Amino acid sequence: MYLYFPTNYVWSMAVVASLNNGGLIDDVDKASRPVLEASQQGDDVGTELLYSSWQAVADRILASAQEDEARGWWRGAAEKYYRAALYTSQAERLQSPKWEGRKAAYQKSIDLLLKHVEIGRVPLTTVDVPYAGDDAPAGSALPGYFHRAPGDGPHPLVVMWNGLDSTKEMMYTSGFPQLLAERGISTLMMDPPGSGEALRMRDLHARYDTEVWAASILDWVEQNAADLDVDPARVGLVGWSLGGYYVPRAAAFEKRIALAVAWGANYDWAAVQEARRRREGENPVPHYWDHVRWVFGATDDDDFREKTKNMRLEGVVENITVPFLVTHGIGDRQIPVAYAHQEYEAAVNSPKRELRIFSQEEGGAEHIGIDNMPYVAQWTADWVAETFAELEA
């Protein structure tokens, strides 16, 4: 992976994600060069300084976008709103849960992306999915984006979940929904409990039994299938990073799911936490222990351990009875590649199970293939399209 910050893997992930998802190298260099020295002080120190530096660049792009919009230059304006949203989103991801500016920064990333959608006439709409989790207040809803495939339907649908620290905005900027649309597949990008807007704005926390929120989402899809122009019998589930635990768990127990993709094999996330306590492997975000307690609504480390002790897929993936893809990078510094092999071997009741390990030579070798995400996304989109076609036949 390209390490812009040579001693700081976590900050460098934001650089790589930006460059792979439509950012420009000049923008990213201008944003990152002023904080090179700060990056040498560890993951946690200086993240607010990083945000300020990246926002200075995003704000200059925003001003240019507004000038283009005022002149009726819609295409240029839409592209600039996109880049401003991308940089804001990546910089916000690195902040502490205790930072007072976090909600405002996240809302800014949403507003910029939706301005890109409006100006660029992107076939994307915001949705709220009623959430009936027993740990959620009455009337709770999960936020999402629906990206409609072109042409007449009903289309297959992929429900996409993020992981521990990503957001539905990052799902859109990954380009994966656009790749699916090219293949005639619509995408529902959801912030599940514990991530994105569901966590930041609605205080909905993650839980181990992900079939609970899967059921809420699938109920909503069935009720709105005609308006969405999707086929409720062809709904797949794709999740990256911690979504690589969330998805197999849901697919094992929610039988309305037609196919499942673990984009990163989080086979034993509870064990990963113990390894991180021993400082084995890399963390995905700064302020890590504050972050995970926030995600799960844990009061302290013991409470966090209790809430996540069941986040293992041994004895679970055996219950998956639909096509199942496991992808992993051979050089993943966060999740051991051995987990991908264990997860694949355990999925004995899947009628079509496949394991795809991405190598250093081809790219996609890092966590969720972030070093070459377009390559990994293309391969995954082709597998999904192929599998939906087989199911239809």
Side-chain angles (χ1 to χ4, degrees):
M1 189 179 84
Y2 171 49
L3 291 173
Y4 184 96
F5 301 105
T7 61
N8 197 317
Y9 164 82
V10 176
W11 289 24
S12 292
M13 283 183 67
V15 170
V16 172
S18 297
L19 293 177
N20 274 335
N21 295 339
L24 301 181
I25 194 167
D26 184 60
D27 294 341
V28 175
D29 182 55
K30 284 186 172 75
S32 301
R33 190 173 295 271
V35 293
L36 267 170
E37 184 176 346
S39 74
Q40 298 170 16
Q41 301 176 48
D43 299 347
D44 297 351
V45 179
T47 52
E48 291 184 40
L49 180 63
L50 179 143
Y51 183 82
S52 296
S53 185
W54 279 52
Q55 276 309 283
V57 171
D59 287 343
R60 286 197 293 271
I61 297 168
L62 171 59
S64 182
Q66 291 168 336
E67 290 175 4
D68 286 356
E69 185 182 1
R71 297 187 67 171
W73 295 355
W74 311 116
R75 291 180 178 84
E79 191 275 336
K80 290 172 183 175
Y81 279 119
Y82 176 92
R83 279 190 286 133
L86 172 67
Y87 304 147
T88 301
S89 184
Q90 287 296 332
E92 185 272 341
R93 187 182 70 86
L94 298 181
Q95 302 309 305
S96 166
K98 299 176 181 178
W99 179 45
E100 291 183 358
R102 185 138 200 192
K103 280 190 177 182
Y106 180 67
Q107 186 62 53
K108 183 177 182 179
S109 74
I110 293 176
D111 294 343
L112 289 169
L113 185 64
L114 293 181
K115 190 67 174 176
H116 155 76
V117 167
E118 174 193 349
I119 296 295
R121 299 179 181 177
V122 178
L124 181 145
T125 53
T126 60
V127 302
D128 275 318
V129 175
Y131 174 49
D134 56 11
D135 58 340
S140 294
L142 299 175
Y145 297 142
F146 175 66
H147 191 273
R148 187 182 297 269
D152 296 332
H155 299 284
L157 175 70
V158 160
V159 177
M160 192 174 182
W161 289 346
N162 50 45
L164 182 73
D165 55 271
S166 57
T167 65
K168 63 187 182 303
E169 289 73 37
M170 294 177 194
M171 291 187 233
Y172 175 79
T173 57
S174 75
F176 186 61
Q178 296 86 331
L179 293 174
L180 291 175
E182 291 172 1
R183 293 158 174 80
I185 301 166
S186 293
T187 307
L188 182 61
M189 296 159 265
M190 297 299 304
D191 280 334
S195 72
E197 187 178 352
L199 175 66
R200 289 158 175 77
M201 305 305 195
R202 307 187 185 191
D203 296 321
L204 298 174
H205 299 286
R207 53 192 291 168
Y208 82 94
D209 48 351
T210 62
E211 64 272 17
V212 172
W213 72 65
S216 293
I217 293 169
L218 290 167
D219 287 348
W220 182 85
V221 169
E222 289 179 349
Q223 292 161 12
N224 293 276
D227 291 338
L228 300 173
D229 200 17
V230 299
D231 179 359
R234 289 185 295 156
V235 178
L237 198 52
V238 175
W240 62 31
S241 195
L242 187 52
Y245 164 82
Y246 292 158
V247 162
R249 167 80 199 199
F253 299 113
E254 174 49 78
K255 295 304 181 180
R256 289 176 289 178
I257 294 166
L259 63 82
V261 178
W263 192 330
N266 253 304
Y267 189 64
D268 194 335
W269 197 73
V272 169
Q273 305 321 295
E274 297 307 313
R276 285 175 178 163
R277 289 186 178 90
R278 299 189 297 269
R279 300 192 176 183
E280 297 172 7
E282 295 281 3
N283 291 338
V285 285
H287 320 284
Y288 181 74
W289 296 108
D290 285 340
H291 188 92
V292 294
R293 287 190 290 268
W294 179 43
V295 167
F296 286 90
T299 55
D300 55 28
D301 198 45
D302 288 341
D303 189 31
F304 168 67
R305 274 193 171 104
E306 180 64 25
K307 290 178 184 294
T308 58
K309 67 182 181 181
N310 293 317
M311 292 186 66
R312 297 180 169 93
L313 293 172
E314 183 179 3
V316 173
V317 291
E318 289 85 346
N319 295 306
I320 295 175
T321 55
V322 295
F324 181 45
L325 170 66
V326 179
T327 73
H328 210 86
I330 198 166
D332 191 327
R333 308 183 201 197
Q334 297 182 37
I335 306 297
V337 67
Y339 282 175
H341 295 278
Q342 292 173 27
E343 188 163 321
Y344 168 77
E345 292 297 336
V348 292
N349 291 307
S350 167
K352 176 186 178 180
R353 59 174 173 163
E354 189 158 352
L355 174 63
R356 180 65 161 89
I357 304 295
F358 292 90
S359 69
Q360 296 285 0
E361 292 75 19
E362 65 181 325
E366 291 283 347
H367 184 62
I368 68 168
I370 198 149
D371 54 308
N372 196 346
M373 184 169 274
Y375 178 68
V376 176
Q378 285 275 10
W379 197 95
T380 305
D382 279 335
W383 185 92
V384 169
E386 172 190 88
T387 305
F388 272 137
E390 291 168 352
L391 292 173
E392 187 176 22

